[in-house]
Short mmCIF file of all heavy atoms in Angstrom, two decimals:
data_model
loop_
_atom_site.label_atom_id
_atom_site.label_comp_id
_atom_site.label_asym_id
_atom_site.label_seq_id
_atom_site.Cartn_x
_atom_site.Cartn_y
_atom_site.Cartn_z
N VAL A 396 9.57 -3.59 11.89
CA VAL A 396 8.83 -2.52 11.21
C VAL A 396 7.56 -2.19 11.99
O VAL A 396 7.21 -1.02 12.18
CB VAL A 396 8.43 -2.95 9.77
CG1 VAL A 396 7.65 -1.84 9.08
CG2 VAL A 396 9.64 -3.35 8.96
N ASP A 397 6.89 -3.24 12.45
CA ASP A 397 5.60 -3.04 13.11
C ASP A 397 5.77 -2.32 14.45
O ASP A 397 4.96 -1.47 14.81
CB ASP A 397 4.91 -4.40 13.31
CG ASP A 397 4.97 -5.22 12.04
OD1 ASP A 397 4.07 -5.10 11.22
OD2 ASP A 397 5.98 -5.96 11.85
N ARG A 398 6.85 -2.66 15.17
CA ARG A 398 7.09 -1.95 16.44
C ARG A 398 7.42 -0.50 16.17
O ARG A 398 7.04 0.39 16.92
CB ARG A 398 8.22 -2.61 17.22
CG ARG A 398 7.71 -3.79 17.97
CD ARG A 398 8.66 -4.27 19.03
NE ARG A 398 8.27 -5.63 19.37
CZ ARG A 398 8.95 -6.42 20.16
NH1 ARG A 398 10.09 -6.01 20.69
NH2 ARG A 398 8.52 -7.64 20.40
N MET A 399 8.14 -0.26 15.06
CA MET A 399 8.47 1.12 14.70
C MET A 399 7.18 1.87 14.32
O MET A 399 7.03 3.05 14.62
CB MET A 399 9.45 1.09 13.53
CG MET A 399 10.00 2.43 13.15
SD MET A 399 10.86 3.23 14.54
CE MET A 399 10.86 4.91 13.92
N PHE A 400 6.28 1.16 13.69
CA PHE A 400 4.98 1.73 13.33
C PHE A 400 4.23 2.13 14.61
O PHE A 400 3.71 3.24 14.72
CB PHE A 400 4.18 0.66 12.55
CG PHE A 400 2.91 1.13 11.92
CD1 PHE A 400 2.81 1.30 10.55
CD2 PHE A 400 1.79 1.38 12.70
CE1 PHE A 400 1.62 1.72 9.97
CE2 PHE A 400 0.61 1.80 12.12
CZ PHE A 400 0.52 1.97 10.76
N LEU A 401 4.22 1.21 15.58
CA LEU A 401 3.52 1.49 16.83
C LEU A 401 4.17 2.66 17.59
O LEU A 401 3.48 3.51 18.15
CB LEU A 401 3.49 0.23 17.71
CG LEU A 401 2.67 0.31 19.00
CD1 LEU A 401 1.22 0.65 18.72
CD2 LEU A 401 2.75 -1.00 19.77
N ALA A 402 5.50 2.70 17.55
CA ALA A 402 6.21 3.81 18.21
C ALA A 402 5.83 5.13 17.52
O ALA A 402 5.55 6.14 18.19
CB ALA A 402 7.72 3.58 18.14
N THR A 403 5.79 5.12 16.20
CA THR A 403 5.47 6.33 15.44
C THR A 403 4.05 6.80 15.77
O THR A 403 3.81 7.99 16.00
CB THR A 403 5.60 6.06 13.93
OG1 THR A 403 6.89 5.51 13.69
CG2 THR A 403 5.42 7.31 13.11
N MET A 404 3.11 5.86 15.82
CA MET A 404 1.73 6.22 16.13
C MET A 404 1.61 6.73 17.57
O MET A 404 0.90 7.69 17.85
CB MET A 404 0.79 5.02 15.93
CG MET A 404 0.60 4.61 14.48
SD MET A 404 -0.18 5.87 13.46
CE MET A 404 -1.89 5.54 13.71
N THR A 405 2.32 6.06 18.49
CA THR A 405 2.28 6.47 19.90
C THR A 405 2.74 7.91 20.04
O THR A 405 2.14 8.72 20.73
CB THR A 405 3.22 5.57 20.75
OG1 THR A 405 2.87 4.22 20.55
CG2 THR A 405 3.16 5.89 22.22
N ASN A 406 3.83 8.20 19.35
CA ASN A 406 4.41 9.53 19.47
C ASN A 406 3.55 10.58 18.77
O ASN A 406 3.52 11.74 19.17
CB ASN A 406 5.80 9.50 18.82
CG ASN A 406 6.66 10.61 19.31
OD1 ASN A 406 6.55 11.01 20.46
ND2 ASN A 406 7.48 11.14 18.44
N ALA A 407 2.85 10.15 17.72
CA ALA A 407 2.12 11.11 16.89
C ALA A 407 0.74 11.46 17.45
O ALA A 407 0.27 12.59 17.30
CB ALA A 407 1.96 10.54 15.48
N TYR A 408 0.11 10.48 18.12
CA TYR A 408 -1.29 10.66 18.53
C TYR A 408 -1.41 11.77 19.57
O TYR A 408 -0.84 11.71 20.64
CB TYR A 408 -1.83 9.34 19.11
CG TYR A 408 -3.29 9.40 19.46
CD1 TYR A 408 -4.26 9.02 18.54
CD2 TYR A 408 -3.71 9.85 20.71
CE1 TYR A 408 -5.61 9.06 18.87
CE2 TYR A 408 -5.06 9.91 21.04
CZ TYR A 408 -6.00 9.51 20.12
OH TYR A 408 -7.33 9.57 20.43
N THR A 409 -2.15 12.80 19.22
CA THR A 409 -2.28 13.96 20.10
C THR A 409 -3.73 14.41 20.16
O THR A 409 -4.41 14.46 19.14
CB THR A 409 -1.44 15.15 19.54
OG1 THR A 409 -0.16 14.67 19.18
CG2 THR A 409 -1.30 16.28 20.54
N GLU A 410 -4.18 14.70 21.36
CA GLU A 410 -5.50 15.33 21.50
C GLU A 410 -5.23 16.74 21.99
O GLU A 410 -4.55 16.92 23.00
CB GLU A 410 -6.35 14.58 22.53
CG GLU A 410 -6.84 13.25 22.03
CD GLU A 410 -7.63 12.48 23.07
OE1 GLU A 410 -7.98 13.04 24.12
OE2 GLU A 410 -7.89 11.29 22.82
N GLU A 411 -5.73 17.75 21.25
CA GLU A 411 -5.48 19.10 21.74
C GLU A 411 -6.71 19.98 21.58
O GLU A 411 -7.57 19.71 20.74
CB GLU A 411 -4.25 19.70 21.05
CG GLU A 411 -4.33 19.79 19.57
CD GLU A 411 -3.03 20.28 18.93
OE1 GLU A 411 -1.95 20.14 19.52
OE2 GLU A 411 -3.13 20.81 17.81
N VAL A 412 -6.74 21.01 22.40
CA VAL A 412 -7.88 21.92 22.37
C VAL A 412 -7.56 23.05 21.39
O VAL A 412 -6.53 23.70 21.50
CB VAL A 412 -8.16 22.49 23.78
CG1 VAL A 412 -9.30 23.50 23.75
CG2 VAL A 412 -8.47 21.36 24.74
N VAL A 413 -8.45 23.22 20.42
CA VAL A 413 -8.25 24.30 19.43
C VAL A 413 -9.60 25.02 19.25
O VAL A 413 -10.66 24.43 19.51
CB VAL A 413 -7.78 23.75 18.06
CG1 VAL A 413 -6.37 23.23 18.12
CG2 VAL A 413 -8.73 22.67 17.54
N PRO A 414 -9.57 26.26 18.77
CA PRO A 414 -10.85 26.94 18.54
C PRO A 414 -11.56 26.37 17.32
O PRO A 414 -10.91 26.05 16.32
CB PRO A 414 -10.44 28.40 18.29
CG PRO A 414 -8.97 28.41 18.08
CD PRO A 414 -8.41 27.11 18.51
N ASP A 415 -12.89 26.18 17.39
CA ASP A 415 -13.62 25.70 16.22
C ASP A 415 -14.00 26.90 15.35
O ASP A 415 -13.59 28.03 15.61
CB ASP A 415 -14.83 24.86 16.63
CG ASP A 415 -15.86 25.66 17.40
OD1 ASP A 415 -15.76 26.91 17.41
OD2 ASP A 415 -16.77 25.04 17.98
N ALA A 416 -14.84 26.67 14.31
CA ALA A 416 -15.17 27.72 13.36
C ALA A 416 -15.82 28.92 14.06
O ALA A 416 -15.65 30.07 13.64
CB ALA A 416 -16.11 27.16 12.30
N LYS A 417 -16.52 28.65 15.18
CA LYS A 417 -17.19 29.76 15.89
C LYS A 417 -16.32 30.34 17.00
O LYS A 417 -16.76 31.17 17.78
CB LYS A 417 -18.50 29.25 16.48
CG LYS A 417 -19.52 28.91 15.41
CD LYS A 417 -20.82 28.45 16.05
CE LYS A 417 -21.75 27.96 14.97
NZ LYS A 417 -22.51 26.78 15.36
N GLY A 418 -15.11 29.88 17.08
CA GLY A 418 -14.20 30.41 18.10
C GLY A 418 -14.31 29.71 19.44
O GLY A 418 -13.65 30.08 20.41
N ASN A 419 -15.15 28.67 19.55
CA ASN A 419 -15.26 27.93 20.82
C ASN A 419 -14.17 26.86 20.90
O ASN A 419 -13.71 26.38 19.88
CB ASN A 419 -16.62 27.25 20.92
CG ASN A 419 -17.74 28.27 20.88
OD1 ASN A 419 -17.62 29.35 21.47
ND2 ASN A 419 -18.83 27.94 20.19
#
Side-chain angles (χ1 to χ4, degrees):
V396 179
D397 313 271
R398 278 195 198 172
M399 187 59 198
F400 189 108
L401 186 58
T403 307
M404 290 297 273
T405 305
N406 201 34
Y408 184 93
T409 313
E410 287 178 11
E411 59 185 24
V412 177
V413 290
D415 64 12
K417 292 182 187 141
N419 299 322

